[in-house]
Amino acid sequence: MGTTLGTLSNLAIYIGLVVLGAFLGSRKALRSRPLVWVSKLQFVALMILIVTLGVNLGANDEVISSLGEIGLSALVITVFAMGGSLLFLSLLRRFVLKLDRYGLPRGSEAAREEESHQAGKADNSLTLWIVIAVVLGMLAGRFVLPAAVTVHCGTIINFGLYLLLFMVGMDMGKQGTFLSDVKTAGFQVLLVPVAVCLGSLVCAAIAGLFLPLGIKDSMAAASGMGWYSLAPTLLAPYSLSVSAVAFLSNVMREIFSIISIPFVAKYIGYVECASLPGAAAMDTVLPVVVGATHERITIYSFTSGVVLSLAVPILVPAIVAIPF
């Protein structure tokens, strides 16, 4: 119950910050100004957030000690789950949502304008900065910073995330297309987390054919959808080994998502970026998705993350209860 209430309270804060930022950004006094500092501050805050995430992981003895013992199984499950969610969402985007690679209705005037200007913010420099930030953070957390400092990482991550979500909302409001973006997405946006979930579980099951864990336990490890703080707790009474694999696999999913999103945005599609982080698409990875794509993709990413986060406490026990 405490976990559920905590999830709901976090969702309320995240939604409130995005809505507040969108409201302020849509005000005429702000929309008429360039506000170059917003994008610069957003980039700095994003780097601080990612470095802190790296420090938090590097200082975590459980993560480091698990790398050698269960690292290969976790890696295979992570790659298959992310690849499956990417494939399923790409098929959904092309054949059901009928959107182009920029997340716009195929053949629309806006889509043609986006294509002609090659709009968007996806570039390899963002990936480079992200990789550097993660590596430096993990090294600092493991070898440099004392425990008295790393213990405060959670607080820094929370406040950095609040700031980033507020500025993402401001960007959305300043674009002046928030309502039209919602209209474009429609209720079909709820199909996005369904595709992400199905793709993750189906391909994790395929990975289980080649792993000692087997199909069911591989699906159970992937069913955390990137929520590495909850899934292992739910799986511990069932199997400590599966819980450990789930922990490391979901940690990998968040890190790999942060690194790979700019490439997916540039070479595959904007909407597909929401598939990679799973539940984290609503919080820690949301600024990376928006930074590599466009503010309108916030709707797809945030909605997917919210639905998956609410589904994880139901999904994990359901898979564990499968009678085989």
Side-chain angles (χ1 to χ4, degrees), residues 70-78 80 203-219 221 245:
I70 58 175
L72 181 59
S73 293
L75 176 62
V76 172
I77 292 172
T78 304
F80 271 71
C203 289
I206 294 173
L209 294 173
F210 311 99
L211 294 173
L213 285 176
I215 295 175
K216 176 181 174 179
D217 289 352
S218 294
M219 291 175 63
V245 172

Side-chain angles (χ1 to χ4, degrees), residues 256-276:
F256 292 173
S257 296
I258 291 172
I259 294 172
S260 58
I261 278 171
F263 287 105
V264 171
K266 189 171 185 178
Y267 298 110
I268 299 178
Y270 285 7
V271 175
E272 283 88 333
C273 292
S275 71
L276 300 177

Side-chain angles (χ1 to χ4, degrees), residues 32-49:
S32 60
R33 300 179 181 180
L35 298 182
V36 179
W37 59 269
V38 173
S39 60
K40 292 182 178 180
L41 181 59
Q42 188 169 343
F43 177 77
V44 172
L46 176 61
M47 289 300 104
I48 293 174
L49 176 64

Side-chain angles (χ1 to χ4, degrees), residues 255-323:
I255 295 174
F256 292 173
S257 296
I258 291 172
I259 294 172
S260 58
I261 278 171
F263 287 105
V264 171
K266 189 171 185 178
Y267 298 110
I268 299 178
Y270 285 7
V271 175
E272 283 88 333
C273 292
S275 71
L276 300 177
M282 75 168 183
D283 45 52
T284 53
V285 189
L286 177 61
V288 182
V289 172
V290 177
T293 59
H294 191 279
E295 284 75 16
R296 64 173 168 273
I297 307 301
T298 302
I299 297 167
Y300 296 96
S301 185
F302 193 80
T303 301
S304 180
V306 168
V307 174
L308 290 173
S309 294
L310 294 174
V312 168
I314 301 171
L315 189 61
V316 175
I319 291 176
V320 169
I322 295 175

